[in-house]
Amino acid sequence: MHKRLFTPGPTEVRADILKELATPQIHHRSPEFADLYAQIQPKLQKLLYTQNPVFLYTSSSTGAMESAVTNLVAKRCLNLVNGAFSKRWHEITEGNGVPCDALSIDWDQAIKPEMVDEQLKTGKYDAVTLVLNETSTGLMNPVERIAEVVNSYPDVFLLVDAVSGMAGVKIDTDAWKLDFVLAGVQKAFALPAGLAVAAVSERALARAAQVLPRSYYFNLNHIYKYHKKNQTPSTPAIPHMFALNAQLSEMLSEGIENRFARHAKMAEIVQAWAQKNFDIYPEQGYWSKTLTCIKNTRGIDVPNLIDRLAEEYNVRISNGYGALKNETFRIAHMGDTQMDEIEGLLRAIDTILGL
Ligand SMILES: *Cc1c(COP(=O)(O)O)cnc(C)c1O
């Protein structure tokens, strides 16, 4: 029996979108492919409020994170770290031999614009990595205000991992002047894993042309060259692209503002429930709109709750991430999940826990 996913990635994929993966195969150097690629482009630009090209990577999000730091750091990168994925971005930067430093703060605290300003004042950095929505802790960093600070330093680029936020919350790419904003599609896009997308600014492409190449598969100049022909440098995950194209059309017919409002409403319901019965892990004011990380203040047996939800209700939620494994549990309210499904999940938990 299928277990319906309420996990913060991968998320549940609707059956009619899964069927798109079975579209007969086309050749990636054919006009049919270029047409598919060209159809996807304006829809992604609309979703991201941008005129920038949006590249498609046949990789998970980690590949796009690697692409950002290997192409766009000429001098030194500042990695802002307040959770597992921002920590990973620091490891990716370091692991590729890119000069960098981490600014690490407690995982239940948001990155504040002043902290970033203090670091950039040193003049050491020409790029900053930021995770919009820390999936490990259910915390949303104030990206717009951080962008304002970064933009006051003309040579510093802002690179944003928006993996579990994109397609669930508004990302005003051009207004906030984001140089690189990426996501994998298995989170709020509600698609199977295997593709990542990234909007890349003009000045980022100009810098990528100057920086000595550190990566072949993730080389931005190479990707851009093919992008202009509505192609990818190597054979992409074409079935996923059919699914992405169909899902983007669904999002636009729902209305992207409506989609964001639905996410905000689901977050409100889950967070009110969490506050009534438990507590919420990150500091107030920075709770995520796409998932909630619930603090296990009742000392419940988290693995047991997860097992019973799977066995008795055919639904799956997540435990805490890493060190927070049994201290928290996480409910995703992102993608195509509807209000009644979230209500049903909460009632199932109430029943199991006798709340
Ligand atoms: C899931 C996730 C990642 C890693 O994604 P992969 O697709 O597994 O590479 C990175 N950052 C954030 C914020 C995530 O939620």
Side-chain angles (χ1 to χ4, degrees):
M1 183 79 174
H2 173 64
K3 313 286 185 233
R4 203 262 181 223
L5 297 178
F6 288 95
T7 48
T11 56
E12 186 71 8
V13 184
R14 288 184 299 113
D16 56 326
I17 294 297
L18 283 174
K19 281 190 196 140
E20 295 289 330
L21 298 169
T23 309
Q25 183 68 5
I26 58 173
H27 194 280
H28 68 297
R29 298 295 179 232
S30 68
E32 296 89 304
F33 178 85
D35 182 51
L36 171 65
Y37 192 101
Q39 283 181 40
I40 290 171
Q41 218 26 230
K43 297 180 196 172
L44 282 173
Q45 286 173 318
K46 198 160 189 190
L47 179 70
L48 289 173
Y49 297 80
T50 188
Q51 303 292 319
N52 293 339
V54 187
F55 297 153
L56 299 176
Y57 294 88
T58 293
S59 76
S60 76
S61 330
T62 305
M65 293 161 83
E66 187 151 315
S67 185
V69 293
T70 52
N71 285 274
L72 300 176
V73 183
K75 200 161 72 177
R76 195 172 187 86
C77 186
L78 173 67
N79 302 121
L80 302 169
V81 177
N82 63 336
F85 292 105
S86 42
K87 184 163 170 260
R88 182 189 294 185
W89 216 354
H90 177 55
E91 288 163 4
I92 292 169
T93 314
E94 211 168 31
N96 279 288
V98 177
C100 61
D101 298 304
L103 171 70
S104 300
I105 65 165
D106 289 344
W107 285 20
D108 60 351
Q109 300 293 307
I111 303 283
K112 309 291 182 334
E114 312 81 73
M115 301 174 184
V116 181
D117 195 35
E118 201 177 308
Q119 296 299 317
L120 295 185
K121 260 189 218 153
T122 62
K124 284 200 283 192
Y125 304 107
D126 64 352
V128 177
T129 65
L130 173 73
V131 170
L132 165 71
N133 189 57
E134 254 300 349
T135 318
S136 57
T137 58
L139 185 152
M140 225 165 228
N141 285 305
V143 57
E144 184 176 3
R145 290 191 293 128
I146 294 169
E148 236 171 76
V149 167
V150 176
N151 289 327
S152 69
Y153 296 87
D155 299 329
V156 184
F157 288 8
L158 182 55
L159 318 177
V160 179
D161 164 349
V163 177
S164 54
M166 191 186 290
V169 297
K170 183 171 180 178
I171 297 171
D172 210 346
T173 306
D174 289 356
W176 301 344
K177 299 194 179 78
L178 306 182
D179 288 294
F180 192 102
V181 56
L182 76 102
V185 297
Q186 78 275 25
K187 310 261 166 116
F189 279 83
L191 287 165
L195 269 189
V197 305
V200 188
S201 74
E202 209 170 298
R203 66 174 193 160
L205 290 167
R207 183 182 285 177
Q210 302 301 316
V211 170
L212 275 181
R214 295 173 170 115
S215 164
Y216 184 86
Y217 190 63
F218 296 113
N219 186 294
L220 282 176
N221 306 311
H222 208 186
I223 295 170
Y224 187 40
K225 190 176 128 197
Y226 281 84
H227 170 88
K228 289 187 232 170
K229 300 187 281 188
N230 289 318
Q231 286 185 7
T232 52
S234 52
T235 324
I238 297 168
H240 288 71
M241 292 173 63
F242 282 117
L244 173 62
N245 193 30
Q247 179 67 336
L248 286 166
S249 293
E250 294 282 329
M251 286 183 200
L252 295 174
S253 64
E254 177 183 11
I256 49 178
E257 304 279 351
N258 294 338
R259 189 178 178 86
F260 302 153
R262 175 166 56 78
H263 280 79
K265 187 75 194 154
M266 290 192 293
E268 212 174 275
I269 289 170
V270 176
Q271 286 158 9
W273 174 88
Q275 277 183 293
K276 177 168 161 250
N277 298 299
F278 293 92
D279 208 346
I280 295 176
Y281 180 77
E283 67 170 311
Q284 197 142 13
Y286 300 94
W287 296 342
S288 167
K289 297 272 190 275
T290 56
L291 81 142
T292 300
C293 181
I294 298 143
K295 217 168 165 174
N296 183 11
T297 50
R298 288 175 177 256
I300 63 158
D301 183 342
V302 171
N304 183 259
L305 171 65
I306 292 172
D307 288 350
R308 286 192 60 187
L309 282 169
E311 279 161 30
E312 296 167 26
Y313 294 90
N314 295 307
V315 296
R316 196 173 287 290
I317 62 167
S318 286
N319 55 9
Y321 198 99
L324 299 171
K325 201 173 170 63
N326 294 319
E327 282 165 45
T328 63
F329 57 98
R330 293 172 299 156
I331 297 175
H333 28 86
M334 65 171 95
D336 291 340
T337 299
Q338 302 297 319
M339 221 70 74
D340 58 341
E341 296 173 292
I342 278 292
E343 292 282 9
L345 172 68
L346 297 178
R347 292 303 79 78
I349 299 175
D350 285 347
T351 305
I352 290 171
L353 298 179
L355 297 175

